[in-house]
Amino acid sequence: MTRILSLFLLILLPAGIAAKELEVESFAGPLEHPWSLAFLPDGRALVTERPGRLRLIEADGQLIEDPVAGTPGVHANSQGGLMGLALHPDYADNGWIYLTLAHGTPSANATRVVRGRLAEGRWIDEEVLFTAQPNKDTPVHYGGRMAFLPDGTLLVSVGDGFDYREHAQHLDSHLGKIIRINDDGSVPTDNPFTGREDALPEIYSWGHRNPQGLVVEPASGRIWSHEHGPRGGDEFNRIEPGTNYGWPIATYGVDYSGARVTPFTTRADMTDPLIDWTPSIAPAGMSRYDGEMFPEWQGDLFVASLVEKTIRRIVLDGDEVVSDEPLGLEIDRRLRDVRVGPDGALYVLTDEASGEVLRVSR
């Protein structure tokens, strides 16, 4: 059984940097519910806006007024719209940009992955790589984060659709899963359920609720993910292929009504979280620090949260969580994503109708 690291029991270790040493400043905006951020090799940045726009930011923080033209249409409703953003590991050579989005209609929608390229402010060469099955009729719990593995394959998180939570335990559904595809959308032959007639071949791990953080360590290949629980029970997990992470059979959360989701907080045939955030912090984006501005943070993970309105720092030692604590930035705004910039600063997206990119430096 995996060790649980609860907020109620955690002994916090010193962060090494006092909050008063950190400076938070506005970098770029306004942006309408920005969702994901990625830095280009030339120092510019791309950012998705949930209503369906892809925006460019100059290296100095100037927001290009016109959105990228020709981007795919999205089902923009509630939590759905244009979401995740990732660059191909060989982006400098091939120019591929990957997006996740809500696709479809109110009565039939799903998480979709597309890729395309930029050319003079336009989105071109679009290819649809993956669309989750089955369709659902809810505008929430899409997942939508992506991360490339060292072998060049792509991990994508897919939420459970909220009203479809039992699908997280069904291998004939993509809902409540992390899936793995090749960079062109084909299915890797070594996926854990490839060849099984009762399972979809893209599935990599299962038993998830709404995973919206996904990080791969470049050297070791370790995969870290976090997901939203209901009322309590937000989770931080190490992802292993073919592993069941419990939702909704095992959880530390309860329904929003206060009713129990399940009598089980743990099961011998399922993997417990490394961190259980109860009360919920609503974890959103996550990134691994690999910059030069904060050498004491090398290899640490940073988690943006929507409800706690913090950036949390998770210190790891191999497979073990050493500590988990907020940076104490006192931003007091819903935080959707956190990324490490080319200058080593943290760049944070605020989830608001008039949101922005914040820069955290020393």
Side-chain angles (χ1 to χ4, degrees):
M1 208 80 64
T2 308
R3 179 174 59 90
I4 301 292
L5 184 61
S6 170
L7 289 185
F8 296 116
L9 302 177
L10 180 61
I11 301 174
L12 298 179
L13 301 183
I17 301 173
K20 64 183 179 181
E21 298 179 50
L22 299 174
E23 178 182 350
V24 181
E25 59 186 330
S26 177
F27 180 73
L31 294 158
E32 187 176 1
H33 292 287
W35 212 93
S36 189
L37 179 73
F39 285 93
L40 301 173
D42 62 9
R44 295 180 301 164
L46 284 170
V47 61
T48 55
E49 290 179 295
R50 196 176 68 210
R53 293 179 291 270
L54 180 62
R55 308 291 298 275
L56 268 167
I57 302 172
E58 299 285 7
D60 63 0
Q62 178 184 350
L63 179 67
I64 302 300
E65 183 175 354
D66 294 328
V68 173
T71 52
V74 304
H75 175 56
N77 184 15
S78 186
Q79 295 176 5
L82 188 58
M83 299 177 294
L85 174 63
L87 304 183
H88 192 282
D90 296 324
Y91 172 83
D93 296 324
N94 61 35
W96 285 120
I97 298 166
Y98 292 72
L99 301 173
T100 60
L101 55 96
H103 168 76
T105 67
S107 61
N109 59 81
T111 302
R112 170 169 282 188
V113 181
V114 304
R115 73 175 180 178
R117 297 182 172 99
L118 288 181
E120 298 180 350
R122 293 194 61 83
W123 178 257
I124 64 170
D125 299 337
E126 180 176 301
E127 300 177 0
V128 176
L129 304 184
F130 168 81
T131 304
Q133 303 173 28
N135 283 327
K136 58 188 185 61
D137 60 3
T138 56
V140 293
H141 288 206
Y142 291 93
R145 293 292 177 187
M146 295 177 286
F148 279 93
L149 287 164
D151 64 3
T153 58
L154 178 65
L155 299 174
V156 185
S157 68
V158 181
D160 70 348
F162 191 78
D163 289 341
Y164 297 79
R165 65 191 186 191
E166 69 276 6
H167 280 244
Q169 289 295 320
H170 295 172
L171 291 175
D172 60 354
S173 169
H174 291 126
L175 300 181
K177 311 298 191 300
I178 291 175
I179 65 106
R180 175 178 175 246
I181 55 177
N182 291 317
D183 65 351
D184 62 358
S186 59
V187 180
T189 57
D190 60 347
N191 269 359
F193 300 107
T194 299
R196 278 183 52 170
E197 293 185 0
D198 62 340
L200 294 174
E202 297 90 352
I203 295 173
Y204 193 75
S205 64
W206 50 315
H208 300 290
R209 187 170 181 267
N210 190 23
Q212 289 192 338
L214 200 52
V215 167
V216 175
E217 293 184 9
S220 68
R222 291 187 186 94
I223 304 165
W224 305 100
S225 179
H226 63 57
E227 62 188 76
H228 295 269
R231 233 171 95 182
D234 296 347
E235 294 186 4
F236 174 76
N237 291 296
R238 181 180 172 193
I239 302 302
E240 297 280 4
T243 300
N244 186 343
Y245 289 86
W247 176 258
I249 295 175
T251 178
Y252 284 83
V254 298
D255 262 330
Y256 296 110
S257 66
R260 288 199 305 177
V261 177
T262 170
F264 302 106
T265 56
T266 185
R267 282 277 297 261
D269 55 341
M270 299 173 182
T271 296
D272 293 330
L274 292 170
I275 299 174
D276 155 54
W277 285 299
T278 299
S280 291
I281 66 168
M286 179 167 62
S287 64
R288 180 178 183 272
Y289 192 80
D290 58 359
E292 297 181 357
M293 184 176 291
F294 301 99
E296 55 271 75
W297 287 353
Q298 282 295 325
D300 297 345
L301 301 182
F302 289 87
V303 175
S305 69
L306 297 163
V307 170
E308 193 181 52
K309 301 178 180 179
T310 57
I311 299 296
R312 300 194 72 90
R313 175 188 175 216
I314 299 175
V315 179
L316 302 168
D317 181 9
D319 294 339
E320 299 294 321
V321 174
V322 175
S323 64
D324 160 43
E325 58 184 326
L327 290 183
L329 299 175
E330 299 182 357
I331 296 175
D332 196 29
R333 297 161 77 178
R334 286 169 56 88
L335 306 181
R336 173 62 70 180
D337 198 11
V338 54
R339 298 290 152 181
V340 181
D343 60 353
L346 295 182
Y347 289 80
V348 181
L349 300 184
T350 66
D351 180 36
E352 301 166 310
S354 184
E356 61 182 328
V357 184
L358 303 178
R359 180 176 181 267
V360 180
S361 62
R362 68 188 327 164

